[in-house]
């Protein structure tokens, strides 16, 4: 079909309009596209940004005996990535200058109440801004046991707190309750018989496919978990006779007991050491000796030291497992390091005293693979103090949980007014190369005073013609005494 020129123009007019509209709208579309994507990209970059914290220049106490002075700790994504002297600090890291201070692993309270604001399930009932939690952090406690649950004092967070939901299994085994003792022995014996039968069945089924698996009916599951080593039993006992019974029971069935109290443990320390026991003690606790008995008894300030010397792992706890703001102070969780100090006063080595509230406490709770010491790969639960942790005048300056600063002494109202921290504790915002002199340390230049026109630097006025200054007379006789001149004039 052949079109005339005017028909061709009419046919091509819609096409020209379409092309013109696309050319007009294209720049606007291209300009608006990046603007819409920029906030999303910025949000994604913020989420993908790694959280890096650096503690620089402190004295690091690993909790295992190592001490590194003027060292650095690098924390990335809540884990200890490196520590020592040759640590590369990323450009985007948050750097805290802890020069002159000490860095310890976070303390662990084996037993507490009121720190999480609730006694229910910590997965969904935590008050992250509880006052007691803040005070516990001020004492250096970063992990505590609530009931049978091990959780972190991660202030401001409600998720990721629980570390272990089954710290230990409680058992009662006392001479004051013979029926209870018999029940515990029967349960353990039944569990031991089942384990032997199960092992025999595993060997038999290799040659006999039709071998029947032993039944679990009537087997106490708690005792089964204890004998399999999945959890450790915890007993409350103080007297010598109860402690001996528990030690013999543990040696008979092959488990390692945890004994809470253990005030007369020093009298049977050898038996407890052979049983592989762990003692949770309060060094300042007192128990009078039964004077009707000739044997040794009662409490002793040397209890922790004696137990430790016989191979018993020692964990220290205060008399009160809560935070006390009234009445008799000094026996609550705020003074957990002080309690460890009393154990040292009784002869416990200083390192063992530190371990009693860090790594040994973590081992009792079955979480030593994550917390309790400063090691690469462990959770970054750390505290920074302005002195010896076990000294009663020492303050915690910062508490760090999972690589996040959750307590800052200067930012809280409780102790900020006592020995305020110097401003220089924060690292300079501007990074400098090694050897470069900071502006604050540069020598100040003396100001140069401007000399007014027509005046010499000495303050004398010069003649307009630029003549020479009058020279003083060289002959001392030519200089007249003012008094003689006045007398002559009077005559």
């Amino acid at each position: 079909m052949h079109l005339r020129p005017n028909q061709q123009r009419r046919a091509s007019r819609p096409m020209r309009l379409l092309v013109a509209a696309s050319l007009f709208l294209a720049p606007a579309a291209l300009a608006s596209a990046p603007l819409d994507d920029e906030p999303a990209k910025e949000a994604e970059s913020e989420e993908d940004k790694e959280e890096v914290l650096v503690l620089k220049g402190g004295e690091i106490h690993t909790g295992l005996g190592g001490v590194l002075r003027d060292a650095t700790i690098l924390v990335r994504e809540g884990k200890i990535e490196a520590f020592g002297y040759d640590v590369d600090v990323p450009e985007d890291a948050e750097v805290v200058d802890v020069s002159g201070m000490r860095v310890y692993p976070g303390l662990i309270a084996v037993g507490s109440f009121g720190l999480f604001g609730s006694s229910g399930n910590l997965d969904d009932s935590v008050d992250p801004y509880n006052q007691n939690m803040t005070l516990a952090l001020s004492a250096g406690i970063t992990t505590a046991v609530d009931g049978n649950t091990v959780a972190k004092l991660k202030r401001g967070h409600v998720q990721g707190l629980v570390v272990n939901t089954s710290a230990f299994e409680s058992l009662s085994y006392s001479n004051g309750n013979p029926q209870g003792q018999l029940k515990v022995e029967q349960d353990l014996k039944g569990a031991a018989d089942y384990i032997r039968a199960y092992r025999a069945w595993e060997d038999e089924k290799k040659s006999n496919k039709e071998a029947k698996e032993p039944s679990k009916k009537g087997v106490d599951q708690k005792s089964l978990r204890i004998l399999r080593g999945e959890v450790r039993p915890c007993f409350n006992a103080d007297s010598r006779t109860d402690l001996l019974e528990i030690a013999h029971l543990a040696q008979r069935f092959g488990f390692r007991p945890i004994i809470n109290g253990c005030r007369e443990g020093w009298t049977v320390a050898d038996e407890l050491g052979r049983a592989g026991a762990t003692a949770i003690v309060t060094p300042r606790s007192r128990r009078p000796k039964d004077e009707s008995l000739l044997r040794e008894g009662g409490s002793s300030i040397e209890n922790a030291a004696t137990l430790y010397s016989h191979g018993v792992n020692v964990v220290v706890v205060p008399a009160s497992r809560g935070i006390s703001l009234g009445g008799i102070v000094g026996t609550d969780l705020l003074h957990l390091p002080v309690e460890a100090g009393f154990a040292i006063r009784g002869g416990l080595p200083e390192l063992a005293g530190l371990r009693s509230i860090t790594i040994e406490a973590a081992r009792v709770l079955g979480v030593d693979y994550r917390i309790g010491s400063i090691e690469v790969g462990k959770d970054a639960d750390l505290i920074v103090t302005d002195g010896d942790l076990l000294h009663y005048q020492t303050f915690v300056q910062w508490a760090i949980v999972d690589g996040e600063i959750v307590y800052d002494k200067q930012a809280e109202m409780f102790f900020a007014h006592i020995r305020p921290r110097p401003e220089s504790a924060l690292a300079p915002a501007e990074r400098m190369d090694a050897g470069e002199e900071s502006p604050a340390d540069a020598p100040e230049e003396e100001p140069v005073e401007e000399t007014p026109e027509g005046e010499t630097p000495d303050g004398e006025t010069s003649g307009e013609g630029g003549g020479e200054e009058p020279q003083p007379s060289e002959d001392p006789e030519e200089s007249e005494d003012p008094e003689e001149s006045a007398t002559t004039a009077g005559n």
Side-chain angles (χ1 to χ4, degrees):
M1 179 179 179
H2 178 70
L3 296 178
R4 291 192 294 271
N6 59 345
Q7 290 177 333
Q8 292 177 358
R9 286 194 296 270
R10 287 195 299 271
S12 61
R13 186 176 299 168
M15 182 62 66
R16 290 199 302 272
L17 293 175
L18 180 62
V19 172
S22 64
L23 292 175
F24 176 77
L25 296 175
L30 293 174
S32 62
L35 294 177
D36 294 337
D37 293 341
E38 283 179 2
K41 290 181 179 179
E42 290 179 1
E44 290 179 1
S45 63
E46 288 294 331
E47 292 178 358
D48 296 338
K49 185 178 179 182
E50 291 184 329
E51 297 181 359
V52 182
L53 176 67
V54 174
L55 304 180
K56 186 177 180 180
E59 183 177 291
I60 301 174
H61 294 251
T62 63
L64 301 175
V67 178
L68 291 79
R69 293 178 174 85
D70 297 328
T72 299
I73 299 181
L74 174 62
V75 176
R76 190 186 301 272
E77 295 297 319
K79 300 288 185 180
I80 300 174
E81 184 173 290
F83 67 94
Y85 300 104
D86 299 324
V87 178
D88 294 330
V89 179
E91 293 289 339
D92 58 345
E94 178 185 0
V95 180
V96 180
D97 186 4
V98 295
S99 300
M101 300 185 185
R102 303 187 183 190
V103 184
Y104 294 92
L107 308 187
I108 302 171
V110 182
S112 70
F113 62 85
L115 301 188
F116 298 95
S118 174
S119 58
N121 186 358
L122 297 185
D123 287 325
D124 53 13
S125 60
V126 174
D127 179 3
Y129 300 103
N130 181 21
Q131 173 181 275
N132 287 346
M133 180 182 290
T134 304
L135 288 170
L137 288 168
S138 73
I141 299 172
T142 57
T143 304
V145 178
D146 188 275
N148 202 29
T149 302
V150 184
K152 296 190 177 186
L153 278 64
K154 198 170 182 180
R155 187 166 179 255
H157 297 267
V158 294
Q159 296 180 346
L161 308 183
V162 176
V163 182
N164 188 5
T165 57
S166 181
F168 35 69
E169 291 286 355
S170 297
L171 290 181
S172 177
Y173 194 78
S174 172
N175 282 336
N177 183 12
Q179 295 297 325
Q181 283 185 315
L182 181 60
K183 177 69 166 56
V184 170
E185 292 178 5
Q186 290 177 346
D187 290 343
L188 289 172
K189 185 178 181 305
D193 293 341
Y194 170 80
I195 291 175
R196 283 192 292 269
Y198 186 84
R199 290 174 180 171
W201 169 75
E202 284 185 325
D203 293 336
E204 185 181 357
K205 73 176 181 179
K206 295 177 182 178
S207 57
N208 182 11
K209 301 283 186 176
E210 298 181 357
K212 189 176 180 181
E213 181 180 355
S215 175
K216 286 186 180 180
K217 185 177 181 180
V219 178
D220 182 63
Q221 296 301 312
K222 181 191 296 186
S223 301
L224 191 60
R225 294 183 63 208
I226 291 172
L227 295 186
R228 282 178 171 173
E230 299 174 2
V231 68
R232 293 180 65 181
C234 182
F235 302 85
N236 290 319
D238 286 310
S239 68
R240 172 191 174 96
T241 53
D242 287 346
L243 294 173
L244 277 175
E245 292 287 344
I246 293 170
H248 295 158
L249 182 71
Q251 294 178 56
R252 175 184 172 189
F253 288 100
F255 61 82
R256 299 171 58 228
I258 301 170
I259 304 175
N260 185 27
C262 204
R263 283 187 282 187
E264 290 188 352
W266 63 279
T267 63
V268 291
D270 53 347
E271 289 290 339
L272 296 175
R274 279 191 286 270
T278 296
I280 303 176
V281 301
T282 302
R284 285 185 284 176
S285 177
R286 292 292 175 263
R287 177 187 177 92
K289 179 183 181 301
D290 187 354
E291 298 297 340
S292 64
L293 303 175
L294 295 177
R295 61 171 176 79
E296 295 178 322
S299 59
S300 171
I301 190 65
E302 300 177 354
N303 185 28
T306 304
L307 290 168
Y308 177 80
S309 65
H310 285 80
V312 179
N313 295 326
V314 176
V315 176
V316 169
V317 294
S320 173
R321 310 298 170 90
I323 300 293
S324 176
L325 299 180
I328 300 177
V329 298
T331 59
D332 60 350
L333 284 177
L334 279 174
H335 301 84
L336 177 59
V338 174
E339 201 70 46
F342 271 90
I344 296 173
R345 174 66 180 83
L348 186 69
E350 185 173 351
L351 177 58
L354 175 61
R355 292 169 63 98
S356 70
I357 52 180
T358 54
I359 187 63
E360 293 299 342
R363 286 175 177 169
V364 163
L365 304 176
V367 293
D368 55 302
Y369 65 98
R370 288 186 57 179
I371 59 177
S373 60
I374 299 178
E375 298 179 73
V376 173
K378 282 193 173 184
D379 295 355
D381 292 359
L382 310 167
I383 57 174
V384 181
T385 67
D386 56 10
D388 188 345
L389 174 64
L390 302 178
H391 195 281
Y392 73 97
Q393 289 184 333
T394 296
F395 278 101
V396 173
Q397 298 292 329
W398 289 282
I400 301 164
V401 178
D402 287 339
E404 179 182 347
I405 298 176
V406 294
Y407 172 79
D408 184 350
K409 174 177 173 288
Q410 292 299 97
E412 301 294 338
M413 64 178 181
F414 300 106
F415 305 111
H417 62 289
I418 305 176
R419 298 204 310 269
R421 190 169 60 237
E423 295 295 334
S424 61
L426 295 178
E430 183 180 355
R431 294 177 59 86
M432 294 178 294
D433 296 331
E436 184 179 351
E437 191 175 37
S438 67
D441 298 334
E444 297 183 359
E445 297 182 0
E446 296 182 358
V448 179
E449 298 181 358
E450 296 183 0
T451 305
E453 184 178 356
E455 184 176 335
T456 64
D458 296 333
E460 299 179 357
T461 305
S462 61
E464 294 180 358
E468 296 181 358
E469 297 180 4
Q471 298 294 330
S473 175
E474 295 181 358
D475 189 357
E477 296 180 357
E478 295 181 2
S479 62
E480 296 181 353
D481 190 359
E483 295 182 359
E484 292 181 0
S485 300
T487 306
T488 306
N491 296 332

